[in-house]
Amino acid sequence: MLQDVWGAALAGIAVAGVSALIAWAGLRWSMRRPGTMMIAVLGGTMVRLVLVGGVSIIVLLYNDVHQAGYLAGLIGAYLTFLGVEIAIVARSARQNGPAVDSAEGVDKQEG
């Protein structure tokens, strides 16, 4: 039984890992194209959530896996990879500086 739990957890980690690889590829793609990072991150997140949800439904409904083990591995790994993704995006934003001057778009009244 314990072996089933670990196998299910590894399957969840693998699904989250594939999602993380897709995120990494999207970030690499967007870093070479100025102004596309937020589109890639937000759009990529939505696509990845749908894919992970679909794969998880298929795995849980049509395979004999330990559900709690699978979900624990998936959620733990997904949150870990998401934290790494956020750190990469934040570091990239710090290195590239603000996209817009903070004074732009603000109506300044003289007098």
Side-chain angles (χ1 to χ4, degrees), residues 10-29:
L10 287 175
I13 292 168
V15 170
V18 170
S19 173
L21 288 175
I22 293 170
W24 177 77
L27 286 173
R28 298 264 310 170
W29 174 83

Side-chain angles (χ1 to χ4, degrees), residues 53-67 70:
V55 168
S56 294
I57 288 170
I58 290 169
V59 167
L60 292 172
L61 288 179
Y62 299 109
N63 292 300
D64 186 27
V65 297
H66 191 273
Q67 292 180 356
Y70 175 81

Side-chain angles (χ1 to χ4, degrees), residues 1-91:
M1 180 67 178
L2 185 61
Q3 200 171 21
D4 294 340
V5 173
W6 283 108
L10 287 175
I13 292 168
V15 170
V18 170
S19 173
L21 288 175
I22 293 170
W24 177 77
L27 286 173
R28 298 264 310 170
W29 174 83
S30 69
M31 285 181 184
R32 289 179 263 141
R33 291 162 183 78
T36 61
M37 181 172 283
M38 289 313 293
I39 293 169
V41 169
L42 294 177
T45 299
M46 182 60 74
V47 169
R48 289 184 297 123
L49 280 174
V50 169
L51 286 173
V52 166
V55 168
S56 294
I57 288 170
I58 290 169
V59 167
L60 292 172
L61 288 179
Y62 299 109
N63 292 300
D64 186 27
V65 297
H66 191 273
Q67 292 180 356
Y70 175 81
L71 291 174
L74 175 69
I75 292 169
Y78 195 90
L79 291 176
T80 300
F81 293 140
L82 189 60
V84 171
E85 180 182 351
I86 290 169
I88 290 170
V89 170
R91 185 185 72 194

Side-chain angles (χ1 to χ4, degrees), residues 100-108:
V100 226
D101 186 14
S102 61
E104 273 186 28
V106 176
D107 292 331
K108 293 185 178 180

